[in-house]
Amino acid sequence: MTPIQQLIKEVKNLKPVPAITSQIVEMADRPSCSMADIAEIIQYDPAMTAHLLRTCNSAYFGLSTPVESAKDAVSILGIDQIVELAILNAGSQQLILEQKGYDLRQGAMWKHAVSSALIAKEIAKTRIPEQRNTIFTAALLKDIGKVILDRFIQASLPKIEGLIQNYGFSFIEAEKEVIGTDHAEIGAVISKMWKFSPTLVKIIRHHHLTDQSMQEETDVAIVYLADCICMMMGIGIGADALAYRFDRDILNNLEMNPTDISQIIADFTFNMQKVENLLSII
């Protein structure tokens, strides 16, 4: 069995994100979506309802009246908060594990995923608000391919580091050169197998902008920028560290400047406790 065949086999064995999660995201970004629509989907899924009620009734939200139904949860917290909780729950099982190949301790990749998702959504609110929940989801799950590639990276890391240090490869370019694929491509394969929307598959596949034609795609650019901001802040970086190139044209394409980036970082740092609290209850 070739390495690529082994990778595909492991992808098939990966526990999928529940189908209801994709349904919620797709519906939430429709202009006509209502709270009743979201509650209608959730109330017929026992596991999702149970998790949502447990989370909503935690000390984090501090609600004076206990939430007793999916309908109550949606009406109190709102559609965006419900979508975030649903996606965070779906991604936590896969992304919270230690990734030895990428030198990420337990929880590090999950923290990076949540942080970049929150930042991406904030940027999306002022650029393409109608896609904010899709972009949040894509940013959260963009590195899902690392879960599969991890042990292959562990065995190949000396070769990968050699290409980076001696030949100027980015980490993702070195991944593909040594292994035959990279974590973004594997992430896209996983996304397709989980029946994600074409938009989600596109963003996950191109979130490192290895294909320059994707620069003009606003949704891809936002997730790429959010990922870069997290790396600049040192959140959840491992063996790949800062071995990626930053495309400055993205700032122009998104009509942003370094001052905007500084403000995003300042706002995020101020609200860092929100991330820590969310991670503790998911």
Side-chain angles (χ1 to χ4, degrees):
M1 183 179 292
T2 66
I4 299 299
Q5 289 174 324
Q6 181 64 34
L7 282 169
I8 298 301
K9 180 181 178 181
E10 294 195 20
V11 167
K12 291 179 178 179
N13 292 333
L14 192 65
K15 185 178 179 181
V17 167
I20 187 176
T21 305
S22 297
Q23 288 180 276
I24 291 172
V25 174
E26 290 178 22
M27 179 167 285
D29 277 342
R30 294 176 188 170
S32 60
C33 178
S34 68
M35 293 185 182
D37 294 330
I38 297 296
E40 182 74 16
I41 295 176
I42 296 173
Q43 68 181 349
Y44 294 113
D45 187 288
M48 178 73 74
T49 298
H51 169 75
L52 191 58
L53 296 185
R54 179 178 65 82
T55 304
C56 289
N57 289 323
S58 68
Y60 174 72
F61 288 100
L63 301 177
S64 58
T65 304
V67 173
E68 297 179 344
S69 69
K71 183 179 179 181
D72 289 342
V74 176
S75 65
I76 292 173
L77 299 179
I79 292 176
D80 277 13
Q81 185 78 78
I82 294 297
V83 171
E84 287 185 12
L85 291 173
I87 301 304
L88 289 170
N89 178 52
S92 64
Q93 294 181 7
Q94 305 293 357
L95 298 177
I96 204 167
L97 301 176
E98 178 184 17
Q99 305 296 323
K100 292 183 178 179
Y102 287 97
D103 192 26
L104 292 167
R105 67 186 186 282
Q106 184 173 338
M109 184 161 67
W110 179 228
K111 184 174 182 179
H112 175 93
V114 175
S115 301
S116 60
L118 291 172
I119 291 171
K121 188 170 185 176
E122 285 304 306
I123 298 172
K125 286 178 180 178
T126 60
R127 298 308 188 276
I128 43 175
E130 69 280 3
Q131 283 187 256
R132 63 191 183 280
N133 292 304
T134 296
I135 286 173
F136 178 89
T137 306
L140 186 82
L141 298 176
K142 66 186 182 306
D143 287 328
I144 190 68
K146 287 185 175 182
V147 175
I148 298 298
L149 273 192
D150 185 60
R151 70 181 182 87
F152 294 87
I153 290 294
Q154 193 170 9
S156 304
L157 196 55
K159 292 182 179 179
I160 289 172
E161 290 178 336
L163 290 176
I164 293 170
Q165 295 167 8
N166 299 323
Y167 298 98
F169 279 54
S170 68
F171 193 93
I172 199 165
E173 290 169 344
E175 268 185 344
K176 189 162 187 177
E177 179 70 19
V178 174
I179 299 174
T181 188
D182 57 59
H183 70 270
E185 288 187 351
I186 292 297
V189 171
I190 294 170
S191 303
K192 284 185 177 180
M193 292 185 68
W194 289 353
K195 303 187 186 306
F196 283 3
S197 70
T199 298
L200 276 173
V201 174
K202 176 193 72 174
I203 298 173
I204 290 171
R205 180 186 296 278
H206 297 291
H207 74 272
H208 280 297
L209 280 184
T210 51
D211 182 347
Q212 292 298 298
S213 69
M214 288 289 117
Q215 284 185 340
E216 301 298 327
E217 299 285 334
T218 303
D219 47 8
V220 174
I222 288 173
V223 173
Y224 168 80
L225 180 58
D227 190 37
C228 290
I229 291 173
C230 281
M231 286 190 282
M232 284 190 285
M233 291 193 292
I235 300 174
I237 58 175
D240 49 349
L242 298 178
Y244 294 101
R245 303 186 186 96
F246 179 64
D247 191 333
R248 292 187 176 274
D249 289 339
I250 289 301
L251 293 181
N252 293 329
N253 294 345
L254 292 175
E255 299 181 354
M256 298 178 69
N257 56 51
T259 302
D260 295 325
I261 302 302
S262 297
Q263 188 61 53
I264 289 171
I265 292 174
D267 291 344
F268 180 80
T269 302
F270 181 76
N271 293 313
M272 191 64 169
Q273 193 62 48
K274 175 183 178 181
V275 178
E276 300 294 345
N277 290 339
L278 276 174
L279 293 179
S280 71
I281 63 174
I282 294 300

